[in-house]
Structure formats: C-alpha cells, structure tokens
Amino acid sequence: MEDELFETIQKWKREDESRETEECLSGLLHENKMKLLSALMMPLIKFGTGGIRGIVGPGYARVNVQNVQRLAQAFCSTIEEDTGVVFIGYDHREHSKVFAETISKTVVEYSKRHGKDITPEPFPQTVPKQIVSFACKNSQAICNKKCVGGFMVTGAYKPRDYNGVKIYNGTGCQIRAEQEQQVRKRMKELVPTNETVFLWELGDTRIEPSQSLDATLELYQEELSRVFREMPKHKVDAVYTPYHGVCQRYVDMATDCLGLKRVTRVPSQWREDPLFPTIAFNNVEEIEMKNLEDAKRTADKENIPVVFATGPNGDKFRVAEKNSKGWHVFSGDEAAVIALHYLMEKRSSKRQGSAVVMPSRT
C-alpha cells in the first residue's frame, strides 16, 4: 500500500511542481502522516452530478488547478462542434478566479490543438451559477454564437475550505449521463503514467474577460420583467441577506422587477467574504434559525415581518416570517406548496388547462 502511495505522490509531483506542494508533501512524509497523504492522493476526485467538488489542496483526491484542468480537458474532448463559445463563471471563494482562468486557458489550448474555433467567454466578475446557465441557453441572443458548454466554479453550500466546478451543456442544463460518462472516463485517462504527463502546458497567456456579461444581464432583467409582469405588486417590507455570497446585485434586479416596497440589507453579511465569518454553516436550507440571527435582529429593529436569504452562489433560498408566536422558517416543502398554490390559482383564473409540475426536494 505504501509503495503505491509513494508512486502516486511521485506522479503528482510531475504535474504539480510548485514549492508549496513540495513543502506540504515533504512535511507530511517527514511526520509519517500516511493516512492524510492517502486521503490527498487516492482515489482520483470523483466526477458526478455534472462536476467535481471537494476540499481544496494538493493531490488527485482534492480540488486544485491540476484537477480543474483535467476536468476541462476531459470535457473539451467531448465537444463535437467545430465552432462555438464556452461561458465560464466563478464565485467569491478562494482560488475560484484562478480555477476559472485555468478553464479558459484550457479551452484556448484545446482549440489550437484541434484546429477548432471554440472560444472561452469568462465573466469578469463573480456571478451566481444561474447566470452561466442562462448565458448558455441564450448565447445566440447574447453574442450571436452557439454555446457548446459552460463552467461554473463554485463551492456551493459546502464549508469554506471546499470548492468545485459545475459543467453545463449548450442549452444551459446539466450534461447528460452519456456525456458525463465520457468525461469521467477521460479524466481517468489523463492521470499520468510513470513516463507521460497528459495535462497540457498552458503557459502564461492572458485571457481577456468576456464582454458579454452586460448583454447577459440586460436580457436576464428583461426575462425577469416578463415573468413578474402579471404578478401583483407587493407592498411588503423584507430583510435580505446574501450569506456573504455573490447574489446582491441580482436579487436587487429581481426585487425591483417584483416591485417590493422596501428591501433592507443585513450589513454584517452583505459583503462577499469567502470565510463566511458570521454564519455557522452556509447551507441556506438549514431549517434552524441560527444562521438567520443577524437578519432577524435587523428585521426586529426595523419592525419588518419577512426575512429571506440566498445561498452563497444563488442556488438555494430560504424565507422566514414573523407571526404572533415568533419567527417561522419555511421549509423547502412549505415554500414549494405556497408557490404551487399561487400557480394553480393563476392558471385557474385564466382557465388554463395544462398541468403544473412542481418538483420539490427536502
């Protein structure tokens, strides 16, 4: 077992020649921390549910520049089109921007090596994951080019030492099972042998940020306005917290379109911060109220009866309401039932007979 581990470490060092990694691995070897070394190196990080996610650090089992490039190379090898764009977004976590730059460089290198015109469209600032999906789906309207895929670098709701990459197909959906299997197989094939390293030399080429974000957000706001146009304007005050995440600008767009009377910010949680200093656990779906304490205090101070929160990358939502018994935090199922009731009433009033499908995950 130790012989296999030592061999794997040597293979890794051929891909990752950084001084930080050398010092880290040498220190662990010197301290005989074989269990931790094994956790870093074995097995190769799992690809599933459309991407990779894990603790950031050196080794095949962790999220790092090498494994992000391995994923990007593997995905590029499944692209059948000769021309198109790949949208790339990232959240505010440590290393997210570097990982996004690695993906952009990999797409450029892939095009060079295969004589294709596949260009990266890396967004110039942090975005929620929905913006990448939306851009993929609407690429013709945004940049007059076909989208062949998208990447979102995000640790989602995981603790602060995690990060990951989510992949989308050209329609903005999670890649299908057959393509996922191809990517998984190709990632394994890109693990080096004793003689050969398969990751490309990417060099220091600077990738210019995409100019398409403004067009994406303009179209996104138009879509929000269309969706909310027939909804009644609400005169409800609310308190909002982004959990130190990246959704502030985008929630402002939505609440403006919805016509909420006043949305009060939670000052202590408004700034993007990858350390999440004021919350115990950044999964917004957690049913307990403790992660909403700052928002609740703000609401009590301003005499506001509604609090809502978004997950750090915008993929989750939580709402709470103050009633005569105190604060009630709505579960995902409760929020889904309320939304379903609204949709059914709306369709009933218009005598629309088509079915309403409302998936819910607890």
Side-chain angles (χ1 to χ4, degrees):
M1 179 66 178
E2 285 193 0
D3 289 344
E4 181 185 2
L5 177 58
F6 290 144
E7 182 179 337
T8 303
I9 291 172
Q10 293 309 311
K11 288 179 182 178
W12 178 261
K13 287 182 177 181
R14 297 186 65 198
E15 288 188 332
D16 181 0
E17 298 177 344
S18 67
R19 186 177 66 180
E20 293 82 3
T21 293
E22 175 63 34
E23 291 176 352
C24 173
L25 298 180
S26 297
L28 293 174
L29 283 168
H30 179 73
E31 296 171 14
N32 200 34
K33 293 186 176 180
M34 297 302 170
K35 188 174 182 180
L36 179 53
L37 279 166
S38 181
L40 293 176
M41 292 292 162
M42 304 163 68
L44 177 65
I45 191 167
K46 182 180 178 182
F47 179 86
T49 323
I52 60 173
R53 187 184 296 159
I55 298 172
V56 175
Y60 293 108
R62 294 292 191 252
V63 176
N64 44 60
V65 167
Q66 289 74 25
N67 276 337
V68 169
Q69 182 181 343
R70 205 181 323 276
L71 173 65
Q73 276 189 223
F75 174 76
C76 285
S77 71
T78 69
I79 297 175
E80 297 178 351
E81 294 86 350
D82 292 326
T83 62
V85 296
V86 176
F87 289 99
I88 301 162
Y90 62 94
D91 68 10
H92 65 311
R93 290 184 182 240
E94 293 184 35
H95 309 291
S96 285
K97 188 174 183 180
V98 172
F99 293 159
E101 290 170 350
T102 298
I103 294 168
S104 294
K105 291 180 180 180
T106 303
V107 173
V108 170
E109 186 66 21
Y110 166 77
S111 292
K112 286 181 182 178
R113 288 173 176 258
H114 293 82
K116 295 190 176 186
D117 184 24
I118 306 294
T119 57
E121 289 282 335
F123 289 139
Q125 65 186 51
T126 58
V127 295
K129 61 183 288 189
Q130 294 87 347
I131 297 299
V132 176
S133 176
F134 182 83
C136 292
K137 180 181 178 181
N138 296 280
S139 64
Q140 290 287 358
I142 291 169
C143 60
N144 199 30
K145 295 179 181 178
K146 180 180 180 180
C147 178
V148 297
F151 291 84
M152 177 65 194
V153 181
T154 176
Y157 59 88
K158 290 292 186 178
R160 64 191 185 188
D161 54 346
Y162 278 68
N163 213 326
V165 182
K166 196 83 170 175
I167 301 179
Y168 302 95
N169 63 23
T171 66
C173 297
Q174 181 177 306
I175 60 173
R176 294 182 177 179
E178 55 269 26
Q179 189 176 12
E180 187 171 295
Q181 290 173 0
Q182 292 174 358
V183 173
R184 186 182 298 114
K185 178 176 181 291
R186 186 61 181 141
M187 281 188 71
K188 292 179 180 178
E189 293 171 349
L190 291 172
V191 173
T193 65
N194 290 328
E195 296 80 25
T196 308
V197 173
F198 298 105
L199 294 185
W200 300 324
E201 288 286 343
L202 299 181
D204 297 323
T205 304
R206 174 174 168 76
I207 307 297
E208 293 298 325
S210 170
Q211 301 299 311
S212 62
L213 182 58
D214 287 344
T216 301
L217 296 184
E218 183 178 346
L219 187 62
Y220 189 72
Q221 189 158 17
E222 289 177 7
E223 184 68 11
L224 285 176
S225 297
R226 184 190 66 79
V227 171
F228 292 149
R229 189 173 297 132
E230 297 181 2
M231 295 181 68
K233 300 300 181 183
H234 296 278
K235 296 182 179 180
V236 177
D237 291 346
V239 167
Y240 165 61
T241 173
Y243 269 16
H244 300 292
V246 301
C247 294
Q248 300 89 326
R249 176 182 182 183
Y250 309 93
V251 169
D252 282 347
M253 289 169 53
T255 54
D256 285 346
C257 292
L258 188 56
L260 287 180
K261 180 181 177 184
R262 179 167 61 110
V263 178
T264 300
R265 301 175 176 182
V266 179
S268 61
Q269 297 176 341
W270 193 255
R271 183 173 58 89
E272 292 183 9
D273 192 330
L275 300 180
F276 305 102
T278 68
I279 54 179
F281 183 53
N282 57 9
N283 184 355
V284 73
E285 288 183 335
E286 181 199 15
I287 192 63
E288 300 295 333
M289 191 70 194
K290 60 184 178 182
N291 273 351
L292 289 173
E293 283 301 316
D294 284 23
K296 185 178 72 171
R297 280 193 291 270
T298 301
D300 287 340
K301 180 180 178 181
E302 300 291 333
N303 195 28
I304 295 174
V306 176
V307 164
F308 69 98
T310 51
N313 72 346
D315 67 343
K316 298 182 186 298
F317 175 82
R318 178 65 87 205
V319 63
E321 181 183 31
K322 192 172 187 179
N323 55 37
S324 59
K325 297 181 180 179
W327 284 96
H328 174 74
V329 183
F330 290 89
S331 69
D333 283 345
E334 289 172 328
V337 168
I338 292 170
L340 178 60
H341 180 265
Y342 169 78
L343 289 173
M344 292 179 69
E345 276 199 336
K346 181 179 178 182
R347 285 180 174 270
S348 176
S349 66
K350 291 187 174 183
R351 301 183 182 277
Q352 293 177 326
S354 57
V356 176
V357 178
M358 175 65 72
S360 176
R361 185 183 71 177
T362 55

